[in-house]
Amino acid sequence: MDIDKDKILISHSPHLWKGFSTTKLMYMVVIALLLPMGAGIYFFGLSAVYIILASVITCFLTELAIKKFRKKQFVNDGSAVITGILFALVLPPRMPIWMVVVGAIFAIAVVKEAFGGLGHNIFNPALGGRAFLAVSFPQQMTTWVAPSGFNADAVTTATPLGQSFAHEGSKASLYWDMFIGNTGGSIGETSALLIILGGIFLLAFRIIEWRIPVFYIGTVALLSYVFGSDPLFSILAGGLMIGAFFMATDYVTSPTTSNGKIIFGVGLGLLTVLIRRFGALPEGVAYSILIMNAFTPLIDKYLKRKPFGFQKKEAA
Amino acid sequence: MSIIKKRSAFAGVKLPENKITEEEPVEKISLPQVAVIPVQQNIGAPCEFIVKRGDTVKTGQKIADTDKFVSAPIHAPVSGKVSRNKQVLNPVSGAVVEALTIESDGQDEWIDMEVIQKIADIDDLRQVLAMIEKIPAKDILGKVREAGLVGLGGAAFPTHVKLSPPPEKKIDTFILNGCECEPFITSDHRVMLEFGRHILLGMFIISQVLKPENLYIAIEDNKPDAIEYMHRLVVEMGLEDKVDVVSLPSRYPMGAEKTLIKSLVGREVPMGGLPMDVGVVVNNVATCKSVAEAVLEGKPLVEKIITVTGAFQKPKNLLARIGTPVSELVDYCVLQDRDKYHVILGGPMMGVAINDTGYPVTKGLNCVLIKQGKAGREQNCIKCARCVAACPMDLMPLMYPKYVKKGRHEECKQYYISNCIECGSCAYVCPANIPIVGYIKTGKKKIADKK
């Protein structure tokens, strides 16, 4: 009996695949994001739920519509869901829903799909959307409320990085509030604890690599100390934690080599501290990441790895 | 001297082993009625046939040779009549090569095999060793070449060339490679368990030629019985002062020369270089067995131990004559009924999928694997850099598909595409299921064509 030729398949080696697909990987990130998402809902209540839902649904539908329009196959790889969640997490808790929808459309349509879709975008879509809203609706984008859970009447407040921020009580209680997330700020950025737990989940399953978050947070702590501000306050405040673990580690927009990741992390830390200290804005995480995103192709080009058996004379 | 443990010194990947035939003793498959012999079975220059249609040949008779140095002669695997010339597609190189067929007379009548010195009893190892010490290196090299030996681990590089480094390259280390890091394949494992004496004698013969100071036997720790047995033989032969048996972690591609040398002796073969550039020669265990057979018994390379595995009812390790059509091996092991499958020559990581099972067993073949098709289609690269982390050659594999698709081969060179050993670790871990190695092969070919 000879093998039926119709049954024979031809493909390139290797003929073995680990089977850990892009889709599985993306949904692992979604699982990790449940933690900061939960914190956002706990501290900021129903409006957080509505914003997250609006953002995720808009992102998903926008991607679907664009793929249909461009006659490309839509792959439900979970990347649009991640962008939707991340975008919601970096918005203020009382953002009007229609503005959320506009921002989410911009994030997917312009920042991601206009560049060719997943894998081709230069900038982090969620942060691109956030930057778009920040220039379009500056007032709503800087209106913060104190955490009040599902209690509807929230009072406006300043974030820890704001100039008018004041905290009653001991320094230890301030750190504790910032650590668990009981301060004003974007929906998902306030609870360092749950973001770090999500980050540990991603590190444990090797979804992300330690270099970017460690060098980013480390650089911010060190430079804050050098500039005479409180390092612990600096790393707990603002969007640093969520930026370091969930945004800066975005594969598409960050360097691929170990050395590249270190430079990327240090560059992020430097920019964040400079913007916070010398810029007109209280917070610089989002813009730091967007700026370093732009440098990623350069870092990958000029920081090639030295291959096995590399010898100096061959470079000449 | 006890067994030494070493760590891996490269990235690579951990693979599911699937060594389903590791307990299957080598079985001899009957001679083919018609043997198909392609004229090129080694890396380097092809041979030319020195017999023609209608000639009668005996088993072991030389039927093709060349005066080129980097080549190895080919011998008749069966006795019978040369029936016709034809052309076959070499699925590995993609080239169409000359081949001839020999119709077996069923007698398997061998040529008279010349030996340098008759051995009374191969089991009297010390006596054999004393005898080997008297054979001049020149005679050993002559025998190895005349027997048509090539690297049997898959690369099929002519063995006598490997054993003749230029005088300025001082070889201080010889490594016997028993790693067999590809999943599924167990032929080297079985060779070690069943022909351990021949392997060690072959190693000793090679060390007569190269005179290295250090001799290593390197085996992955997923073959503890082989490590144990080879160590016992070393002690039995009284070689424990000269030979180190090393257990290495089962990490792919441990059996590749460069990664093995790095893990074992910490030396990096320079880019574009050969192991001899760092004073090392590596030979596979099956090759060493054949060296012993060639030198001590005068036997040319006409048969091979091949793992026939995967979707079979009776997967096995087979001893088959070169020239046996792959289809006969497949029939012998009884295929499972499946919808679609890949027929792969070699292991799952580096093997080549063929669509014609009439292609014969050649010197370099060590496995026939039947595997179900790989699911999924190529998606966008998300730059997750898992390929970068997995690459044992420290390359950035994600760059190659990107640039090859655009025809920008200059960029591929800047990312050292020629340093790729095509082990497939990158594509194995790629979440986007990109056939990276396919792109690399295309890129390398385009660059070579331009020259």
Side-chain angles (χ1 to χ4, degrees), chain B residues 387-398:
Chain B
C387 55
V388 179
C391 180
M393 291 291 107
D394 301 336
L395 301 170
M396 296 167 73
L398 75 160

Side-chain angles (χ1 to χ4, degrees), chain A residues 257 299-306, chain B residues 396 414-416:
Chain A
T257 61
I299 294 174
D300 269 344
K301 191 172 165 82
Y302 289 102
L303 236 94
K304 293 192 184 91
R305 292 174 96 189
K306 283 203 177 66
Chain B
M396 296 167 73
Q414 285 171 17
Y415 284 100
Y416 310 103

Side-chain angles (χ1 to χ4, degrees), chain A residues 1 9 15 17 73 118 305 309, chain B residues 268 271 331 341 348 380 430:
Chain A
M1 180 205 87
L9 297 165
H15 309 280
W17 188 45
Q73 198 192 341
L118 180 66
R305 292 174 96 189
Chain B
E268 259 187 39
M271 275 169 64
D331 287 350
Y341 24 57
N380 282 358
C430 179

Side-chain angles (χ1 to χ4, degrees), chain A residues 105-120:
Chain A
I105 291 172
F106 183 87
I108 293 293
V110 178
V111 189
K112 187 179 175 191
E113 290 301 324
F115 286 88
L118 180 66
H120 297 294

Side-chain angles (χ1 to χ4, degrees), chain A residues 17 81 135 183 258 305:
Chain A
W17 188 45
V81 174
V135 292
T183 62
S258 299
R305 292 174 96 189

Side-chain angles (χ1 to χ4, degrees), chain B residues 352-418:
Chain B
V352 177
I354 57 167
N355 64 359
D356 179 8
T357 53
Y359 193 75
V361 170
T362 57
K363 292 179 180 180
L365 185 71
N366 53 5
C367 180
V368 175
L369 171 66
I370 304 274
K371 228 186 141 285
Q372 272 184 298
K374 176 166 91 174
R377 50 178 206 100
E378 181 178 345
Q379 294 184 331
N380 282 358
C381 172
I382 52 167
K383 287 183 64 212
C384 70
R386 279 173 169 69
C387 55
V388 179
C391 180
M393 291 291 107
D394 301 336
L395 301 170
M396 296 167 73
L398 75 160
M399 297 296 173
Y400 306 128
K402 182 171 125 183
Y403 289 125
V404 170
K405 274 183 207 169
K406 292 178 185 159
R408 286 162 65 180
H409 303 114
E410 213 33 59
E411 271 92 344
C412 292
K413 277 199 245 172
Q414 285 171 17
Y415 284 100
Y416 310 103
I417 192 170
S418 63

Side-chain angles (χ1 to χ4, degrees), chain B residues 107-159:
Chain B
Q107 303 299 313
D108 197 24
E109 196 186 327
W110 281 71
I111 47 154
D112 294 328
M113 289 184 278
E114 285 173 38
V115 290
I116 299 171
Q117 207 171 341
K118 200 111 189 108
I119 309 164
D121 179 12
I122 195 152
D123 286 336
D124 186 356
L125 291 168
R126 283 166 198 259
Q127 185 233 322
V128 181
L129 288 183
M131 197 215 87
I132 291 169
E133 275 178 11
K134 292 188 202 121
I135 309 176
K138 191 167 58 72
D139 291 2
I140 293 174
L141 284 174
K143 272 283 177 199
V144 166
R145 188 198 174 272
E146 279 309 299
L149 296 194
V150 300
L152 300 182
F157 186 77
T159 305

